[in-house]
Amino acid sequence: MNPLGITLTLVVFYLFSELHSRRRAFYTNPVLLSIITIAVILKWFGIPYGSYMDSAVILKFLLGPAVVSLAVPVYKGRDTIRAYSKEIALGIAVGGTVAILSAFYIAKLLGGSGEVLLSIAPKSVTTAIAIGISEKIGGIPALTAVLVILTGIMGNAIGPELLNLARVRDRIARGLAMGVGSHGLGTARIILEDELAGAVSGLAMALNGVFTSLLLPYLIEILK
Amino acid sequence: MRPYRGLAIIFGFYALGEFTSFALNLTIPGSVLGMLFLLGALLTGAIRLEWVESEAELFVRNMSVMFVPPGVGIVTYIGLIKSQAVPIFGALVISFVVTLLVTAKTVDLLRRDER
């Protein structure tokens, strides 16, 4: 194993994180910019993805313990979950299901291939969980990762504006929609305008990840 | 600073989740199962929050960088994305808008009933 792939990833990600902390905007998203930059570098130097991943795989492995660690923010938010249990349960059941079915059927309607449908179905949940689901159901985890990030970027860029257009003013409804619809990146945006909506959004993100990973594999068996 | 206890718990629950997923042949990722097990252990008091809190928060805060290597894998699928651009990006945008608005309106209605 060579240390170049992981070093390249850390250097590129560090530089884009610095840029993002100076200019906080959806188009400075460090994950997407890092993916594009490293992809271009690999192409320029003719490095096969396999030899890059041979070293960067350590970072990918850490996604497992990172998902396990999500138990801590959920546990700390248990009082909020209890206080809004009905809203959270309804929002996740409806939103989580709509997210899967709409992505699957719209892609199918537009002529998507089987592996595209499987890769896009988990696009609304937090990246680490979506990658895990995609792997399990036979999608393309790399495609899922990019689609999840693009979904988050949409939520971050125009989520609250869309909710304003639809005249949704309730803070719990706004938070749930952002967390279920656009996971962590949506949460990062809504928390800037409203702390309660942000907290609900973060919880909705984590719980929707669990809900989707329980529902999606069985739903896919029926849809296929 | 002794992060070993926290790390051992987190990796231990991850291993337990992976093992359960494999042994019972479940379609749920082992990491998600591990999270549910850890949540259960915290709620029942089997694991105390302060044993894992700072290590877990370190993982959660720094999750983003871990998406980069799997995301770069997209270079292997450039051809697929070009040939499937309409279904991929059409579904992505429409599904996002529909999900956001349906979720918001559903919860909003429930809230109005309660007020």
Side-chain angles (χ1 to χ4, degrees), chain B residues 3-78:
Chain B
Y4 313 115
R5 179 171 57 187
L7 290 176
I9 293 169
I10 291 165
F11 277 87
F13 274 92
Y14 179 40
L16 187 67
E18 284 293 344
F19 173 76
T20 311
S21 178
F22 176 77
L24 301 179
N25 199 15
L26 300 176
T27 40
I28 307 157
S31 55
V32 177
L33 284 177
M35 171 194 168
L36 290 174
F37 292 154
L38 177 56
L39 183 64
L42 286 165
L43 287 170
T44 57
I47 300 281
R48 293 236 295 271
L49 180 64
E50 61 265 31
W51 294 352
V52 288
E53 191 174 8
S54 54
E55 292 79 15
E57 281 173 353
L58 186 73
F59 271 115
V60 172
R61 269 203 312 275
N62 295 294
M63 225 188 221
S64 309
V65 71
M66 304 166 196
F67 308 142
V68 176
V72 175
I74 205 70
V75 293
T76 330
Y77 299 99
I78 296 293

Coordinates of all heavy atoms in Angstrom, one line a residue, chain B residues 3-78:
Chain B
P3 N -8.6 7.9 24.5 CA -9.7 7.6 23.5 C -9.9 6.1 23.3 O -10.8 5.8 22.6 CB -9.1 8.3 22.2 CG -7.7 8.2 22.3 CD -7.3 8.3 23.8
Y4 N -9.1 5.3 23.9 CA -9.2 3.8 23.6 C -10.5 3.2 23.9 O -11.0 2.4 23.2 CB -8.0 3.1 24.2 CG -6.7 3.8 24.0 CD1 -6.0 4.3 25.1 CD2 -6.2 4.0 22.7 CE1 -4.8 5.0 24.9 CE2 -5.0 4.6 22.6 CZ -4.3 5.1 23.6 OH -3.2 5.8 23.4
R5 N -11.0 3.6 25.1 CA -12.3 3.0 25.5 C -13.4 3.4 24.5 O -14.1 2.5 24.0 CB -12.7 3.5 26.9 CG -14.0 3.0 27.4 CD -14.3 3.3 28.8 NE -14.3 4.7 29.1 CZ -14.4 5.3 30.3 NH1 -14.5 4.5 31.3 NH2 -14.4 6.6 30.4
G6 N -13.5 4.7 24.1 CA -14.5 5.1 23.2 C -14.3 4.4 21.8 O -15.3 4.0 21.2
L7 N -13.1 4.4 21.3 CA -12.8 3.8 20.0 C -13.2 2.3 20.1 O -13.7 1.7 19.1 CB -11.4 4.0 19.6 CG -11.0 5.4 19.2 CD1 -9.5 5.5 18.9 CD2 -11.8 5.9 18.0
A8 N -12.8 1.6 21.2 CA -13.1 0.2 21.3 C -14.6 0.0 21.2 O -15.1 -1.0 20.6 CB -12.5 -0.3 22.6
I9 N -15.4 0.8 21.9 CA -16.8 0.7 21.9 C -17.4 0.9 20.5 O -18.2 0.1 20.0 CB -17.5 1.7 22.9 CG1 -17.1 1.3 24.3 CG2 -19.0 1.7 22.7 CD1 -17.5 2.3 25.4
I10 N -16.9 2.0 19.8 CA -17.4 2.3 18.5 C -17.1 1.2 17.5 O -17.9 0.7 16.8 CB -16.9 3.7 18.0 CG1 -17.6 4.8 18.9 CG2 -17.2 3.9 16.5 CD1 -16.9 6.1 18.7
F11 N -15.8 0.8 17.5 CA -15.4 -0.3 16.5 C -16.1 -1.6 16.9 O -16.4 -2.4 16.1 CB -13.9 -0.4 16.5 CG -13.3 0.6 15.5 CD1 -12.9 1.8 16.0 CD2 -13.0 0.2 14.2 CE1 -12.3 2.8 15.1 CE2 -12.5 1.2 13.3 CZ -12.1 2.4 13.8
G12 N -16.2 -1.8 18.2 CA -16.9 -3.1 18.7 C -18.3 -3.2 18.2 O -18.7 -4.2 17.7
F13 N -19.0 -2.0 18.3 CA -20.4 -2.0 17.8 C -20.5 -2.2 16.3 O -21.4 -2.8 15.8 CB -21.2 -0.8 18.3 CG -21.8 -1.0 19.7 CD1 -21.1 -0.6 20.8 CD2 -23.0 -1.6 19.9 CE1 -21.6 -0.8 22.1 CE2 -23.6 -1.8 21.1 CZ -22.8 -1.4 22.3
Y14 N -19.5 -1.6 15.6 CA -19.4 -1.7 14.2 C -19.3 -3.2 13.8 O -20.0 -3.7 13.0 CB -18.3 -0.9 13.6 CG -18.1 -1.0 12.1 CD1 -19.2 -1.0 11.3 CD2 -16.9 -1.0 11.5 CE1 -19.1 -1.1 9.9 CE2 -16.7 -1.1 10.2 CZ -17.8 -1.1 9.3 OH -17.6 -1.2 8.0
A15 N -18.3 -3.8 14.5 CA -18.1 -5.3 14.3 C -19.3 -6.1 14.6 O -19.7 -7.0 13.8 CB -16.9 -5.7 15.1
L16 N -20.0 -5.8 15.6 CA -21.2 -6.5 16.0 C -22.3 -6.3 14.9 O -22.9 -7.3 14.6 CB -21.7 -6.0 17.4 CG -22.9 -6.7 18.0 CD1 -22.4 -8.1 18.4 CD2 -23.4 -5.9 19.2
G17 N -22.4 -5.1 14.4 CA -23.4 -4.8 13.4 C -23.0 -5.6 12.1 O -23.9 -6.2 11.5
E18 N -21.8 -5.6 11.7 CA -21.4 -6.3 10.5 C -21.6 -7.8 10.6 O -22.1 -8.4 9.7 CB -19.9 -6.0 10.2 CG -19.6 -4.6 9.6 CD -20.1 -4.4 8.2 OE1 -20.5 -5.4 7.5 OE2 -20.2 -3.3 7.7
F19 N -21.2 -8.3 11.8 CA -21.4 -9.7 12.1 C -22.9 -10.1 12.0 O -23.2 -11.1 11.3 CB -20.8 -10.1 13.4 CG -21.1 -11.5 13.8 CD1 -20.4 -12.5 13.2 CD2 -22.1 -11.8 14.7 CE1 -20.6 -13.8 13.6 CE2 -22.4 -13.1 15.1 CZ -21.6 -14.1 14.5
T20 N -23.7 -9.3 12.6 CA -25.2 -9.6 12.6 C -25.7 -9.5 11.2 O -26.5 -10.4 10.8 CB -25.9 -8.6 13.5 OG1 -25.3 -8.5 14.8 CG2 -27.4 -9.0 13.7
S21 N -25.4 -8.5 10.5 CA -25.9 -8.4 9.1 C -25.4 -9.6 8.2 O -26.2 -10.1 7.5 CB -25.3 -7.1 8.5 OG -25.7 -6.9 7.1
F22 N -24.2 -10.0 8.4 CA -23.7 -11.1 7.7 C -24.3 -12.5 8.1 O -24.8 -13.2 7.3 CB -22.2 -11.2 7.8 CG -21.5 -12.4 7.2 CD1 -21.3 -12.4 5.8 CD2 -21.1 -13.5 7.9 CE1 -20.8 -13.5 5.2 CE2 -20.6 -14.6 7.3 CZ -20.4 -14.6 5.9
A23 N -24.4 -12.7 9.5 CA -24.9 -13.9 10.0 C -26.3 -14.2 9.7 O -26.8 -15.3 9.4 CB -24.6 -14.0 11.5
L24 N -27.2 -13.1 9.7 CA -28.6 -13.2 9.5 C -28.9 -12.9 8.0 O -30.1 -12.9 7.7 CB -29.4 -12.3 10.4 CG -29.2 -12.5 11.9 CD1 -30.0 -11.5 12.7 CD2 -29.6 -13.9 12.3
N25 N -27.9 -12.6 7.2 CA -28.0 -12.4 5.8 C -29.0 -11.2 5.6 O -30.0 -11.3 4.8 CB -28.5 -13.6 5.1 CG -28.3 -13.6 3.6 OD1 -27.5 -12.7 3.1 ND2 -28.9 -14.4 2.8
L26 N -28.9 -10.1 6.3 CA -29.8 -9.0 6.2 C -29.3 -8.0 5.1 O -28.1 -8.0 4.8 CB -29.8 -8.2 7.6 CG -30.3 -9.0 8.8 CD1 -30.2 -8.2 10.1 CD2 -31.7 -9.5 8.6
T27 N -30.3 -7.2 4.6 CA -29.9 -6.3 3.6 C -29.6 -4.9 4.2 O -29.3 -4.0 3.5 CB -31.0 -6.1 2.6 OG1 -32.3 -6.1 3.3 CG2 -31.0 -7.2 1.5
I28 N -29.7 -4.8 5.6 CA -29.4 -3.6 6.2 C -27.9 -3.5 6.4 O -27.3 -4.5 6.9 CB -30.1 -3.5 7.6 CG1 -31.6 -3.7 7.4 CG2 -29.8 -2.2 8.3 CD1 -32.3 -4.3 8.7
P29 N -27.2 -2.4 6.1 CA -25.8 -2.3 6.3 C -25.4 -2.5 7.8 O -26.1 -2.1 8.7 CB -25.5 -0.8 5.9 CG -26.6 -0.4 5.0 CD -27.8 -1.2 5.5
G30 N -24.3 -3.2 8.0 CA -23.8 -3.5 9.3 C -23.6 -2.2 10.2 O -23.8 -2.2 11.4
S31 N -23.1 -1.2 9.5 CA -22.9 0.1 10.2 C -24.2 0.6 10.8 O -24.2 1.1 11.9 CB -22.3 1.1 9.3 OG -23.1 1.3 8.1
V32 N -25.3 0.5 10.1 CA -26.6 1.0 10.6 C -27.1 0.2 11.8 O -27.5 0.7 12.8 CB -27.7 1.0 9.5 CG1 -29.0 1.5 10.0 CG2 -27.2 2.0 8.3
L33 N -26.9 -1.1 11.6 CA -27.2 -2.0 12.8 C -26.4 -1.7 14.0 O -26.9 -1.6 15.1 CB -27.0 -3.5 12.4 CG -28.0 -4.1 11.5 CD1 -27.6 -5.6 11.1 CD2 -29.4 -4.1 12.1
G34 N -25.1 -1.5 13.8 CA -24.2 -1.1 14.9 C -24.6 0.2 15.5 O -24.6 0.3 16.8
M35 N -25.1 1.1 14.7 CA -25.6 2.4 15.3 C -26.9 2.1 16.2 O -27.0 2.7 17.3 CB -26.0 3.3 14.1 CG -26.7 4.6 14.5 SD -27.4 5.3 13.0 CE -28.5 6.5 13.7
L36 N -27.8 1.3 15.7 CA -29.0 1.0 16.4 C -28.6 0.2 17.7 O -29.2 0.5 18.8 CB -29.9 0.1 15.6 CG -30.6 0.8 14.4 CD1 -31.4 -0.2 13.6 CD2 -31.5 1.9 14.9
F37 N -27.6 -0.7 17.7 CA -27.2 -1.4 18.9 C -26.6 -0.4 19.9 O -26.9 -0.5 21.1 CB -26.2 -2.5 18.6 CG -26.7 -3.6 17.8 CD1 -25.9 -4.4 16.9 CD2 -28.1 -4.0 17.8 CE1 -26.4 -5.4 16.2 CE2 -28.6 -5.0 17.1 CZ -27.7 -5.8 16.3
L38 N -25.8 0.5 19.4 CA -25.2 1.5 20.3 C -26.2 2.4 20.9 O -26.2 2.7 22.1 CB -24.1 2.3 19.6 CG -23.4 3.4 20.4 CD1 -22.8 2.9 21.7 CD2 -22.3 4.2 19.6
L39 N -27.2 2.8 20.1 CA -28.3 3.7 20.6 C -29.0 2.9 21.7 O -29.3 3.5 22.7 CB -29.2 4.0 19.4 CG -30.4 5.0 19.8 CD1 -29.9 6.3 20.2 CD2 -31.3 5.1 18.6
G40 N -29.3 1.7 21.5 CA -30.0 0.8 22.5 C -29.2 0.8 23.7 O -29.7 0.9 24.8
A41 N -27.9 0.6 23.6 CA -27.0 0.5 24.8 C -27.0 1.8 25.5 O -26.9 1.8 26.8 CB -25.6 0.0 24.3
L42 N -27.0 2.9 24.8 CA -27.0 4.2 25.5 C -28.3 4.4 26.2 O -28.4 4.9 27.4 CB -26.8 5.3 24.5 CG -25.4 5.5 23.9 CD1 -25.4 6.4 22.7 CD2 -24.5 6.1 25.0
L43 N -29.4 4.0 25.6 CA -30.8 4.3 26.2 C -31.0 3.4 27.4 O -31.6 3.8 28.4 CB -31.9 4.0 25.1 CG -32.0 5.0 24.0 CD1 -32.9 4.6 22.9 CD2 -32.5 6.4 24.6
T44 N -30.4 2.2 27.4 CA -30.6 1.3 28.5 C -29.6 1.6 29.6 O -29.7 1.0 30.7 CB -30.5 -0.2 28.1 OG1 -29.2 -0.4 27.5 CG2 -31.6 -0.6 27.2
G45 N -28.6 2.4 29.3 CA -27.6 2.7 30.3 C -26.4 1.7 30.3 O -25.5 1.8 31.2
A46 N -26.4 0.7 29.4 CA -25.3 -0.3 29.4 C -24.0 0.4 29.0 O -22.9 0.1 29.5 CB -25.6 -1.4 28.4
I47 N -24.1 1.4 28.2 CA -23.0 2.3 27.8 C -23.3 3.7 28.3 O -24.4 4.2 28.0 CB -22.8 2.3 26.3 CG1 -22.5 0.8 25.7 CG2 -21.6 3.2 25.9 CD1 -21.1 0.3 25.9
R48 N -22.3 4.3 28.9 CA -22.5 5.7 29.4 C -22.1 6.7 28.3 O -21.0 6.5 27.6 CB -21.8 6.0 30.7 CG -22.3 5.1 31.8 CD -22.7 6.0 33.0 NE -21.5 6.7 33.6 CZ -20.8 6.1 34.6 NH1 -21.1 4.9 35.1 NH2 -19.8 6.8 35.1
L49 N -22.8 7.8 28.1 CA -22.6 8.7 27.1 C -21.1 9.2 27.1 O -20.4 9.3 26.1 CB -23.5 9.9 27.2 CG -23.3 11.0 26.1 CD1 -23.6 10.5 24.7 CD2 -24.2 12.2 26.4
E50 N -20.6 9.5 28.3 CA -19.2 10.1 28.4 C -18.1 9.1 28.0 O -17.0 9.5 27.7 CB -19.0 10.7 29.8 CG -19.0 9.7 30.9 CD -20.4 9.7 31.6 OE1 -21.4 10.0 30.9 OE2 -20.5 9.4 32.8
W51 N -18.5 7.8 27.9 CA -17.5 6.8 27.4 C -17.2 7.0 26.0 O -16.1 6.6 25.5 CB -18.0 5.4 27.7 CG -18.1 5.0 29.2 CD1 -17.7 5.8 30.2 CD2 -18.7 3.8 29.7 NE1 -17.9 5.1 31.4 CE2 -18.6 3.9 31.1 CE3 -19.3 2.7 29.1 CZ2 -19.0 2.9 31.9 CZ3 -19.7 1.7 30.0 CH2 -19.6 1.9 31.4
V52 N -18.2 7.4 25.2 CA -18.1 7.4 23.7 C -18.2 8.8 23.1 O -17.9 9.0 21.9 CB -19.1 6.5 23.0 CG1 -18.8 5.0 23.2 CG2 -20.5 6.8 23.5
E53 N -18.7 9.8 23.9 CA -19.1 11.0 23.4 C -18.1 11.7 22.5 O -18.3 12.0 21.3 CB -19.5 12.0 24.5 CG -20.2 13.2 24.0 CD -20.8 14.1 25.1 OE1 -20.5 13.8 26.3 OE2 -21.5 15.0 24.8
S54 N -16.9 12.0 23.0 CA -15.9 12.8 22.3 C -15.4 12.0 21.0 O -15.2 12.6 20.0 CB -14.7 13.2 23.2 OG -14.2 12.1 23.8
E55 N -15.2 10.7 21.1 CA -14.7 9.9 20.0 C -15.8 9.9 18.9 O -15.5 10.1 17.7 CB -14.4 8.5 20.4 CG -13.1 8.4 21.3 CD -13.4 8.7 22.8 OE1 -14.6 8.8 23.1 OE2 -12.5 9.0 23.5
A56 N -17.1 9.7 19.3 CA -18.1 9.7 18.3 C -18.3 11.0 17.6 O -18.4 11.1 16.4 CB -19.5 9.3 19.0
E57 N -18.1 12.1 18.4 CA -18.3 13.4 17.8 C -17.1 13.7 16.8 O -17.3 14.4 15.8 CB -18.5 14.5 18.9 CG -19.9 14.4 19.3 CD -20.2 15.3 20.5 OE1 -19.3 15.9 21.1 OE2 -21.4 15.4 20.9
L58 N -16.0 13.2 17.1 CA -14.8 13.3 16.2 C -15.1 12.6 14.9 O -14.9 13.2 13.8 CB -13.6 12.7 16.8 CG -12.3 12.9 16.1 CD1 -11.8 14.3 16.2 CD2 -11.2 11.9 16.6
F59 N -15.7 11.4 14.9 CA -16.1 10.7 13.7 C -17.1 11.5 12.9 O -17.0 11.7 11.7 CB -16.6 9.3 14.0 CG -15.6 8.3 14.1 CD1 -15.3 7.6 15.3 CD2 -14.8 7.9 12.9 CE1 -14.3 6.6 15.3 CE2 -13.9 6.9 13.0 CZ -13.6 6.3 14.2
V60 N -18.2 11.9 13.7 CA -19.3 12.6 13.0 C -18.9 13.9 12.3 O -19.3 14.2 11.2 CB -20.5 12.8 14.0 CG1 -21.6 13.6 13.3 CG2 -21.1 11.4 14.4
R61 N -18.1 14.7 13.1 CA -17.7 15.9 12.5 C -16.8 15.8 11.3 O -16.8 16.7 10.5 CB -16.9 16.7 13.6 CG -17.7 17.6 14.5 CD -16.8 18.7 15.1 NE -15.6 18.2 15.7 CZ -15.5 17.7 17.0 NH1 -16.6 17.7 17.7 NH2 -14.4 17.3 17.4
N62 N -16.0 14.7 11.2 CA -15.0 14.6 10.2 C -15.5 13.6 9.1 O -14.6 13.0 8.4 CB -13.7 14.2 10.7 CG -13.1 15.4 11.6 OD1 -12.9 16.4 11.0 ND2 -13.0 15.2 12.9
M63 N -16.8 13.3 9.0 CA -17.2 12.3 8.1 C -17.0 12.7 6.7 O -16.7 11.8 5.8 CB -18.7 12.1 8.4 CG -19.2 10.8 8.4 SD -21.0 10.9 8.5 CE -21.4 9.6 9.6
S64 N -17.1 14.0 6.4 CA -17.1 14.4 5.0 C -15.9 13.9 4.1 O -16.1 13.4 3.0 CB -17.1 15.9 4.9 OG -18.1 16.5 5.7
V65 N -14.7 13.9 4.7 CA -13.5 13.6 4.0 C -13.6 12.1 3.5 O -13.1 11.7 2.5 CB -12.3 13.8 4.8 CG1 -12.1 12.9 5.9 CG2 -11.0 13.8 3.9
M66 N -14.4 11.3 4.3 CA -14.5 9.9 4.0 C -15.3 9.6 2.7 O -15.3 8.5 2.2 CB -15.1 9.1 5.2 CG -14.4 9.3 6.5 SD -15.4 8.8 7.9 CE -14.5 9.5 9.2
F67 N -16.1 10.6 2.3 CA -16.9 10.4 1.1 C -16.1 10.6 -0.2 O -16.5 10.2 -1.3 CB -18.1 11.3 1.0 CG -18.9 11.4 2.3 CD1 -19.4 12.5 2.7 CD2 -19.2 10.2 2.9 CE1 -20.2 12.6 3.9 CE2 -19.9 10.2 4.1 CZ -20.5 11.4 4.6
V68 N -14.9 11.2 0.0 CA -14.2 11.5 -1.2 C -13.7 10.3 -2.0 O -14.0 10.2 -3.2 CB -13.0 12.5 -0.9 CG1 -12.2 12.8 -2.1 CG2 -13.6 13.8 -0.3
P69 N -13.0 9.3 -1.4 CA -12.5 8.2 -2.1 C -13.6 7.4 -2.8 O -13.5 7.2 -4.0 CB -11.8 7.3 -1.1 CG -11.4 8.3 0.0 CD -12.4 9.3 0.0
P70 N -14.8 7.1 -2.1 CA -15.8 6.4 -2.9 C -16.4 7.3 -4.0 O -16.7 6.8 -5.1 CB -16.9 6.1 -1.9 CG -16.5 6.7 -0.6 CD -15.1 7.1 -0.7
G71 N -16.5 8.6 -3.8 CA -17.0 9.5 -4.8 C -16.1 9.5 -6.0 O -16.6 9.6 -7.2
V72 N -14.8 9.5 -5.8 CA -13.8 9.5 -7.0 C -14.0 8.3 -7.9 O -13.8 8.4 -9.1 CB -12.4 9.6 -6.5 CG1 -11.4 9.5 -7.6 CG2 -12.1 10.9 -5.7
G73 N -14.6 7.3 -7.3 CA -14.9 6.1 -8.1 C -15.8 6.4 -9.3 O -15.9 5.6 -10.2
I74 N -16.4 7.5 -9.3 CA -17.3 8.0 -10.4 C -16.5 8.0 -11.7 O -17.1 7.8 -12.8 CB -17.9 9.4 -10.1 CG1 -19.2 9.6 -10.8 CG2 -16.9 10.5 -10.3 CD1 -20.3 8.7 -10.3
V75 N -15.2 8.2 -11.7 CA -14.4 8.2 -12.9 C -14.5 6.9 -13.7 O -14.4 6.9 -14.9 CB -12.8 8.4 -12.6 CG1 -12.6 9.8 -12.1 CG2 -12.3 7.3 -11.7
T76 N -14.8 5.8 -13.0 CA -15.0 4.5 -13.7 C -16.4 4.5 -14.5 O -16.6 3.6 -15.3 CB -15.0 3.4 -12.6 OG1 -14.2 3.8 -11.5 CG2 -14.5 2.1 -13.2
Y77 N -17.3 5.4 -14.1 CA -18.6 5.4 -14.7 C -19.0 6.6 -15.5 O -20.2 6.9 -15.7 CB -19.7 5.2 -13.6 CG -19.4 4.0 -12.8 CD1 -18.8 4.0 -11.6 CD2 -19.9 2.7 -13.2 CE1 -18.6 2.8 -10.8 CE2 -19.7 1.6 -12.5 CZ -19.0 1.6 -11.3 OH -18.8 0.5 -10.6
I78 N -18.0 7.3 -16.0 CA -18.3 8.5 -16.8 C -19.1 8.2 -18.0 O -20.1 8.9 -18.3 CB -16.9 9.2 -17.3 CG1 -16.1 9.7 -16.1 CG2 -17.2 10.3 -18.3 CD1 -16.7 10.8 -15.3

